[in-house]
Amino acid sequence: MNMGDVAAFMDLGTNSVRMNVIRVNPNRTITVLNKLKQMVRLGEGAFKEKFLQPEPMSRTVAACVRFATVARAHGARTIHAVATSAARDAENGSLLVRRLRKEAGIDMRIISGQEEARLIFMGVVSGVDLGNRRALLLDIGGGSTELSVGTAAGYEYLDSLKLGAVRVTNLIQGD
């Protein structure tokens, strides 16, 4: 990204979709222009059936259309978008990707659990001074839990477990 550029970053999880719209400043800092979050419950029924269900998928697409409109209104030329556990574990995750491209103009990428853990690590380390310490980061999401270990110099270990709040609740309740 060049100075003055505006971009959006979208994270589509099992429970919610989040987006930050940012501008790169001349001094190489960023300004957050907008932050959005909406509970879409994409993973509703997905772990039992192994398919994203029609109603949650439609809610998700509608939210992403709204978010993309906001990003473009701020001047975002690019929307970097990733989908995590519910989309990656569903047999019809590619249908969601196609709908988002067609209906919202978003090129959503379904990422692996390892890539999710790496991105979480990089995001946290960019905002926290670890000094010489080694850190264990644990991110519990709706469909998975990501683990990463590392120092300010980089990660040493990345993993993703199929243990998320929605997934475990569905197993317990038999949904």
Side-chain angles (χ1 to χ4, degrees):
M1 289 183 58
N2 298 315
M3 288 177 255
D5 282 352
V6 176
F9 297 87
M10 189 179 294
D11 174 10
L12 176 54
T14 296
N15 263 332
S16 63
V17 59
R18 300 168 185 259
M19 184 182 73
N20 288 347
V21 182
I22 61 103
R23 180 182 56 241
V24 178
N25 300 313
N27 65 356
R28 300 173 99 43
T29 61
I30 64 166
T31 299
V32 177
L33 302 175
N34 205 326
K35 286 177 116 174
L36 299 170
K37 176 184 176 184
Q38 184 172 337
M39 300 299 288
V40 293
R41 297 182 6 243
L42 177 63
E44 182 179 42
F47 298 114
K48 178 182 176 190
E49 302 296 327
K50 307 255 190 273
F51 282 90
L52 298 173
Q53 301 301 301
E55 188 175 319
M57 194 182 310
S58 291
R59 281 194 305 261
T60 300
V61 170
C64 290
V65 167
R66 284 191 301 279
F67 283 20
T69 300
V70 169
R72 291 181 184 114
H74 280 289
R77 293 186 217 165
T78 307
I79 300 173
H80 301 275
V82 296
T84 58
S85 185
R88 101 174 133 245
D89 291 345
E91 291 180 24
N92 63 341
S94 62
L95 173 60
L96 175 65
V97 170
R98 287 192 306 274
R99 284 193 61 189
L100 288 169
R101 186 174 299 119
K102 180 180 178 185
E103 298 176 41
I106 298 170
D107 288 322
M108 181 70 66
R109 224 175 22 108
I110 298 175
I111 60 172
S112 70
Q114 291 255 332
E115 177 66 359
E116 185 177 359
R118 186 187 76 80
L119 291 171
I120 291 164
F121 181 85
M122 299 304 288
V124 171
V125 170
S126 73
V128 174
D129 181 14
L130 291 179
N132 293 326
R133 296 171 292 178
R134 175 174 281 119
L136 163 66
L137 304 179
L138 186 68
D139 181 76
I140 302 171
S144 62
T145 295
E146 279 61 49
L147 303 136
S148 53
V149 176
T151 65
Y155 57 85
E156 300 164 4
Y157 176 81
L158 302 171
D159 201 1
S160 178
L161 308 173
K162 291 185 179 191
L163 292 170
V166 173
R167 186 187 303 261
V168 171
T169 299
N170 289 347
L171 288 172
I172 292 169
Q173 294 176 345
D175 292 342

